[in-house]
Amino acid sequence: MNPPAAVMPTRPLGRTGLNVSTLGFGAAGIGNLGYAGSDLAAARAVDVAWEAGIRHFDTAPHYGLGLSERRLGAALRAHPRDAYVLSTKVGRLLRPHPAPTGSDLAAGGFDVPDDLVRVWDFTAAGVARSIEESLTRLGVDRIDIVYVHDPDDAVDEAVSQAIPALIALREQGVIRAVGVGMNQWQAPLRMVLETDLDVVMLAGRYTLLDRSGEHLLDECERRGVAVVAAAPFNSGILARPWPVEGGNFNYAPASDRVLWQARRLAETCREHETALPVAALQFPLRHPAVAAVVSGMRSAEHVDAAVAGMRTPVPAGLWQAAG
């Protein structure tokens, strides 16, 4: 008989009625982000996450041209649908590639065949098609949270079409929560002010190193909008106890100044007998608007490290010293 799954703390997701585990499983990696992995390794990662008490899973069509959704859905099929919170995204439809090159690495960053191509679509019709296709790839009957994904060059369209379409689906009971997921804070702030969003997934803009999104989080707190903090390691620079030269910051090599700042944080962590990745993982949860941290987990080892990082006590003095 298998031992019972561990319990992960949960927090309310704003006013949605959903509760999410404070550590979420980011499924870009199991879509072969950067390099290929096996179906077996992906399934094992999800299984280990479940055993650790993670009940919050995030994916997107963009991740591996649908591979992440397919793998995540297959791995979750053994578990009751009511037992976890599932999110995916809209904004990129997947369509047959008219001139495939053999790999998506150069164009999209995923080590998968590029027999499909991403087509930007933030229209109401595009939103409906995207959700229908995601349901098929995931093999589920419903999605809890739907984020408008990276509308950096289509903010007006997202505000006037995509978000209202999702709100209509929420009002019909088709989805539970409407969100936006971006790597910047300015456009989400406008959306929080102008629309009826439930949640913002903010990637890399409220971390131990980069706190530029704090104004957005403060406004979300005032309005009852939840925040899910993604990319807590700023795409790599905070993922090791000692940041290395050539490490990535926001998907590009870190500048000398950023490396210096990260190493100062690492020194502060050492002084308080805490590893830098542990502090980086837990830091976003200190803001009252943040319901969860979503970290990329492509292997059982990544899951184990993230779970251990969330469960490691961090002395209050570290937070004071880190500012």
Side-chain angles (χ1 to χ4, degrees), residues 25-55:
F25 185 104
I30 65 171
N32 289 358
L33 177 64
Y35 59 94
S38 69
D39 292 345
L40 184 62
R44 179 61 180 155
V46 176
D47 288 345
V48 171
W50 188 274
E51 292 164 6
I54 294 173
R55 298 292 184 270

Short mmCIF file of all heavy atoms in Angstrom, two decimals, residues 25-55:
data_model
loop_
_atom_site.label_atom_id
_atom_site.label_comp_id
_atom_site.label_asym_id
_atom_site.label_seq_id
_atom_site.Cartn_x
_atom_site.Cartn_y
_atom_site.Cartn_z
N PHE A 25 3.44 23.58 -9.74
CA PHE A 25 4.26 22.85 -10.71
C PHE A 25 4.20 23.58 -12.05
O PHE A 25 3.16 23.60 -12.71
CB PHE A 25 3.73 21.43 -10.85
CG PHE A 25 4.54 20.51 -11.75
CD1 PHE A 25 5.35 19.54 -11.20
CD2 PHE A 25 4.45 20.61 -13.14
CE1 PHE A 25 6.08 18.67 -12.02
CE2 PHE A 25 5.17 19.76 -13.95
CZ PHE A 25 5.99 18.79 -13.39
N GLY A 26 5.31 24.19 -12.44
CA GLY A 26 5.40 24.83 -13.74
C GLY A 26 5.83 23.82 -14.79
O GLY A 26 6.90 23.22 -14.69
N ALA A 27 4.98 23.62 -15.80
CA ALA A 27 5.16 22.49 -16.72
C ALA A 27 5.82 22.85 -18.04
O ALA A 27 5.77 22.06 -18.98
CB ALA A 27 3.81 21.83 -16.99
N ALA A 28 6.49 24.01 -18.13
CA ALA A 28 7.20 24.31 -19.37
C ALA A 28 8.31 23.29 -19.62
O ALA A 28 8.55 22.87 -20.76
CB ALA A 28 7.78 25.72 -19.32
N GLY A 29 9.01 22.89 -18.57
CA GLY A 29 10.13 21.97 -18.72
C GLY A 29 9.74 20.63 -19.30
O GLY A 29 10.48 20.06 -20.11
N ILE A 30 8.57 20.11 -18.90
CA ILE A 30 8.17 18.81 -19.45
C ILE A 30 7.67 18.95 -20.88
O ILE A 30 7.33 17.95 -21.52
CB ILE A 30 7.14 18.09 -18.56
CG1 ILE A 30 5.81 18.85 -18.50
CG2 ILE A 30 7.70 17.86 -17.16
CD1 ILE A 30 4.70 18.05 -17.81
N GLY A 31 7.66 20.17 -21.40
CA GLY A 31 7.44 20.39 -22.83
C GLY A 31 8.74 20.46 -23.61
O GLY A 31 8.77 20.95 -24.74
N ASN A 32 9.83 19.98 -22.99
CA ASN A 32 11.16 19.96 -23.63
C ASN A 32 11.74 21.36 -23.81
O ASN A 32 12.35 21.67 -24.84
CB ASN A 32 11.15 19.22 -24.96
CG ASN A 32 10.98 17.72 -24.81
OD1 ASN A 32 10.92 17.21 -23.69
ND2 ASN A 32 10.91 17.01 -25.93
N LEU A 33 11.58 22.21 -22.80
CA LEU A 33 12.19 23.53 -22.84
C LEU A 33 13.71 23.39 -22.88
O LEU A 33 14.32 22.84 -21.96
CB LEU A 33 11.78 24.34 -21.62
CG LEU A 33 12.40 25.73 -21.48
CD1 LEU A 33 11.96 26.63 -22.63
CD2 LEU A 33 12.01 26.36 -20.13
N GLY A 34 14.31 23.88 -23.95
CA GLY A 34 15.77 23.89 -24.06
C GLY A 34 16.38 22.59 -24.52
O GLY A 34 17.33 22.59 -25.32
N TYR A 35 15.89 21.49 -24.03
CA TYR A 35 16.42 20.18 -24.43
C TYR A 35 15.35 19.13 -24.19
O TYR A 35 14.40 19.34 -23.42
CB TYR A 35 17.71 19.84 -23.68
CG TYR A 35 17.58 19.81 -22.18
CD1 TYR A 35 17.32 18.62 -21.50
CD2 TYR A 35 17.73 20.98 -21.42
CE1 TYR A 35 17.22 18.58 -20.12
CE2 TYR A 35 17.63 20.96 -20.04
CZ TYR A 35 17.38 19.75 -19.39
OH TYR A 35 17.27 19.74 -18.02
N ALA A 36 15.51 17.99 -24.84
CA ALA A 36 14.48 16.96 -24.82
C ALA A 36 14.54 16.13 -23.55
O ALA A 36 15.60 15.88 -22.98
CB ALA A 36 14.62 16.05 -26.04
N GLY A 37 13.37 15.72 -23.10
CA GLY A 37 13.23 14.77 -22.00
C GLY A 37 12.21 13.73 -22.39
O GLY A 37 11.45 13.90 -23.35
N SER A 38 12.16 12.66 -21.64
CA SER A 38 11.29 11.55 -22.01
C SER A 38 9.90 11.69 -21.39
O SER A 38 9.70 12.39 -20.40
CB SER A 38 11.91 10.23 -21.55
OG SER A 38 11.88 10.15 -20.12
N ASP A 39 8.95 10.97 -21.98
CA ASP A 39 7.61 10.89 -21.40
C ASP A 39 7.67 10.33 -19.99
O ASP A 39 6.96 10.79 -19.08
CB ASP A 39 6.70 10.00 -22.26
CG ASP A 39 6.38 10.59 -23.62
OD1 ASP A 39 6.61 11.81 -23.81
OD2 ASP A 39 5.89 9.84 -24.48
N LEU A 40 8.54 9.33 -19.79
CA LEU A 40 8.65 8.68 -18.49
C LEU A 40 9.15 9.66 -17.43
O LEU A 40 8.62 9.70 -16.31
CB LEU A 40 9.59 7.48 -18.59
CG LEU A 40 9.74 6.64 -17.32
CD1 LEU A 40 8.40 6.02 -16.92
CD2 LEU A 40 10.79 5.54 -17.53
N ALA A 41 10.17 10.46 -17.77
CA ALA A 41 10.70 11.43 -16.82
C ALA A 41 9.67 12.49 -16.47
O ALA A 41 9.56 12.93 -15.32
CB ALA A 41 11.97 12.07 -17.37
N ALA A 42 8.90 12.91 -17.48
CA ALA A 42 7.85 13.90 -17.23
C ALA A 42 6.79 13.34 -16.30
O ALA A 42 6.36 14.01 -15.34
CB ALA A 42 7.22 14.34 -18.55
N ALA A 43 6.36 12.12 -16.55
CA ALA A 43 5.34 11.49 -15.70
C ALA A 43 5.86 11.31 -14.29
O ALA A 43 5.13 11.53 -13.31
CB ALA A 43 4.93 10.15 -16.29
N ARG A 44 7.12 10.95 -14.16
CA ARG A 44 7.71 10.77 -12.84
C ARG A 44 7.75 12.10 -12.08
O ARG A 44 7.47 12.14 -10.87
CB ARG A 44 9.11 10.18 -12.97
CG ARG A 44 9.85 9.98 -11.65
CD ARG A 44 9.12 9.03 -10.73
NE ARG A 44 9.83 8.86 -9.47
CZ ARG A 44 9.25 8.50 -8.33
NH1 ARG A 44 7.95 8.28 -8.28
NH2 ARG A 44 9.96 8.36 -7.23
N ALA A 45 8.08 13.17 -12.76
CA ALA A 45 8.11 14.48 -12.11
C ALA A 45 6.74 14.85 -11.55
O ALA A 45 6.62 15.32 -10.41
CB ALA A 45 8.60 15.55 -13.09
N VAL A 46 5.70 14.63 -12.35
CA VAL A 46 4.35 14.95 -11.88
C VAL A 46 3.96 14.04 -10.72
O VAL A 46 3.37 14.48 -9.73
CB VAL A 46 3.34 14.84 -13.04
CG1 VAL A 46 1.92 15.08 -12.53
CG2 VAL A 46 3.69 15.84 -14.14
N ASP A 47 4.31 12.75 -10.80
CA ASP A 47 3.99 11.82 -9.73
C ASP A 47 4.67 12.22 -8.41
O ASP A 47 4.05 12.18 -7.34
CB ASP A 47 4.41 10.40 -10.11
CG ASP A 47 3.53 9.78 -11.17
OD1 ASP A 47 2.43 10.32 -11.42
OD2 ASP A 47 3.93 8.76 -11.76
N VAL A 48 5.94 12.60 -8.49
CA VAL A 48 6.67 13.01 -7.28
C VAL A 48 6.07 14.29 -6.71
O VAL A 48 5.97 14.46 -5.50
CB VAL A 48 8.17 13.15 -7.59
CG1 VAL A 48 8.92 13.79 -6.42
CG2 VAL A 48 8.78 11.80 -7.91
N ALA A 49 5.67 15.21 -7.60
CA ALA A 49 5.02 16.43 -7.14
C ALA A 49 3.73 16.10 -6.39
O ALA A 49 3.44 16.68 -5.33
CB ALA A 49 4.74 17.35 -8.32
N TRP A 50 2.96 15.17 -6.95
CA TRP A 50 1.71 14.79 -6.29
C TRP A 50 2.00 14.18 -4.92
O TRP A 50 1.33 14.51 -3.92
CB TRP A 50 0.95 13.80 -7.17
CG TRP A 50 -0.43 13.53 -6.64
CD1 TRP A 50 -0.80 12.61 -5.70
CD2 TRP A 50 -1.62 14.23 -7.01
NE1 TRP A 50 -2.15 12.68 -5.47
CE2 TRP A 50 -2.67 13.66 -6.25
CE3 TRP A 50 -1.91 15.26 -7.89
CZ2 TRP A 50 -3.99 14.11 -6.36
CZ3 TRP A 50 -3.22 15.71 -8.01
CH2 TRP A 50 -4.24 15.13 -7.25
N GLU A 51 2.97 13.30 -4.85
CA GLU A 51 3.32 12.66 -3.58
C GLU A 51 3.76 13.68 -2.54
O GLU A 51 3.57 13.48 -1.33
CB GLU A 51 4.43 11.62 -3.81
CG GLU A 51 3.97 10.41 -4.62
CD GLU A 51 5.14 9.60 -5.17
OE1 GLU A 51 6.30 9.92 -4.82
OE2 GLU A 51 4.90 8.66 -5.95
N ALA A 52 4.35 14.79 -3.01
CA ALA A 52 4.81 15.84 -2.11
C ALA A 52 3.70 16.79 -1.69
O ALA A 52 3.93 17.70 -0.88
CB ALA A 52 5.94 16.63 -2.77
N GLY A 53 2.51 16.61 -2.23
CA GLY A 53 1.38 17.44 -1.84
C GLY A 53 1.08 18.60 -2.77
O GLY A 53 0.20 19.42 -2.49
N ILE A 54 1.80 18.71 -3.89
CA ILE A 54 1.52 19.78 -4.85
C ILE A 54 0.20 19.47 -5.55
O ILE A 54 0.00 18.39 -6.09
CB ILE A 54 2.67 19.92 -5.86
CG1 ILE A 54 3.94 20.40 -5.15
CG2 ILE A 54 2.30 20.88 -7.00
CD1 ILE A 54 5.17 20.41 -6.03
N ARG A 55 -0.69 20.47 -5.56
CA ARG A 55 -2.00 20.30 -6.18
C ARG A 55 -2.33 21.46 -7.11
O ARG A 55 -3.50 21.76 -7.36
CB ARG A 55 -3.10 20.19 -5.10
CG ARG A 55 -2.94 19.00 -4.17
CD ARG A 55 -3.19 17.68 -4.91
NE ARG A 55 -3.13 16.53 -4.02
CZ ARG A 55 -2.02 15.85 -3.75
NH1 ARG A 55 -0.88 16.22 -4.33
NH2 ARG A 55 -2.04 14.83 -2.93
#
